[in-house]
């Protein structure tokens, strides 16, 4: 039974989806899809606010060997407006969902060799710097995040903080009126 279970696990259909970059103003959404033993996947995008279908597509996938995963990239049309969206992927009778938050805030993160980290917050539509945006620095510990610091952006949209490990950080940016 154990061997049969392992073989079934290695050869059963699988899929996962991830967004490759934050949604950009008037730009397609770019996703990565990893799959095994699937020939088609249905993708639907819904507005989280009202549940309305925004777009949908069916991807015809290249065949894979039973134990081999394959990756592909696909695009969905640009999001119509600022807000929260649900991407639903269906393969056979299995459904997976992920949330996409489209805002007009676009953080650019740079780490300097002296340990400082700079976050520049830009307007996603115009590219202009955003003053007085709240930048929260979250420290990851496996699957949980704790607040490590909070700074405001200056007139140039910049916020500085020090870190010894940027790989374990997540950045959240907020400002009223920007989604």
């Amino acid at each position: 039974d154990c061997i049969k279970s392992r073989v079934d696990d290695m050869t059963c259909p699988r899929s996962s989806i991830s967004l490759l970059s934050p949604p950009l103003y008037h730009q397609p959404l770019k996703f990565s899809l990893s799959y095994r033993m699937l020939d088609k996947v249905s993708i639907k995008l819904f507005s989280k606010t009202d549940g309305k279908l925004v777009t949908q597509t069916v991807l015809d996938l290249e065949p894979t060997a039973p134990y081999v995963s394959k990756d592909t990239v696909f695009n969905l049309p640009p999001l119509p407006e600022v807000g929260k969206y649900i991407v639903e992927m269906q393969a056979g009778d299995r459904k997976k969902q992920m949330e996409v938050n489209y805002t007009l805030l676009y953080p650019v993160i740079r780490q300097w060799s002296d340990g400082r980290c700079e976050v520049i917050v830009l307007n996603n539509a115009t590219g202009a710097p955003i003053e007085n945006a709240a930048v929260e620095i979250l420290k990851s510990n496996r699957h949980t995040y704790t607040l490590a610091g909070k700074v405001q952006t200056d007139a140039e949209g910049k916020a500085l903080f020090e870190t010894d490990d940027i790989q374990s950080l997540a950045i959240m940016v907020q400002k009223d009126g920007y989604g």
Side-chain angles (χ1 to χ4, degrees), residues 12-148:
C12 71
R14 293 214 188 270
S15 61
S16 66
I17 187 173
S18 60
L19 187 61
L20 291 176
S21 64
L24 296 174
Y25 186 70
H26 287 305
Q27 296 296 312
L29 294 173
K30 192 171 187 177
F31 291 90
S32 173
L33 171 67
S34 182
Y35 66 94
R36 176 176 73 197
M37 296 294 296
L38 295 171
D39 59 352
K40 282 185 195 238
V41 173
S42 169
I43 307 289
K44 294 180 181 178
L45 179 74
F46 298 93
S47 166
K48 188 172 181 182
T49 306
D50 58 17
K52 287 185 181 176
L53 180 66
V54 175
T55 190
Q56 64 182 347
T57 189
V58 175
L59 303 174
D60 291 316
L61 304 173
E62 292 181 26
T64 63
Y67 52 86
V68 176
S69 291
K70 186 155 178 72
D71 296 324
T72 190
V73 173
F74 69 94
N75 293 330
L76 291 179
L79 296 171
E81 60 190 15
V82 168
K84 294 186 183 211
Y85 295 85
I86 300 293
V87 178
E88 180 182 273
M89 176 180 67
Q90 183 168 352
D93 61 347
R94 296 179 186 208
K95 284 185 183 180
K96 292 184 180 183
Q97 292 186 336
M98 70 178 291
E99 186 172 311
V100 175
N101 187 17
Y102 176 41
T103 75
L104 290 178
L105 298 171
Y106 186 75
V108 177
I109 303 163
R110 297 191 287 191
Q111 184 174 21
W112 302 104
S113 58
D114 63 3
R116 291 181 301 146
C117 188
E118 178 181 58
V119 178
I120 304 170
V121 181
L122 303 173
N123 182 310
N124 195 352
T126 67
I130 297 179
E131 185 176 5
N132 293 322
V135 178
E136 292 183 354
I137 300 97
L138 305 170
K139 182 108 170 137
S140 170
N141 185 4
R142 296 189 186 196
H143 300 291
T144 61
Y145 290 91
T146 55
L147 184 63

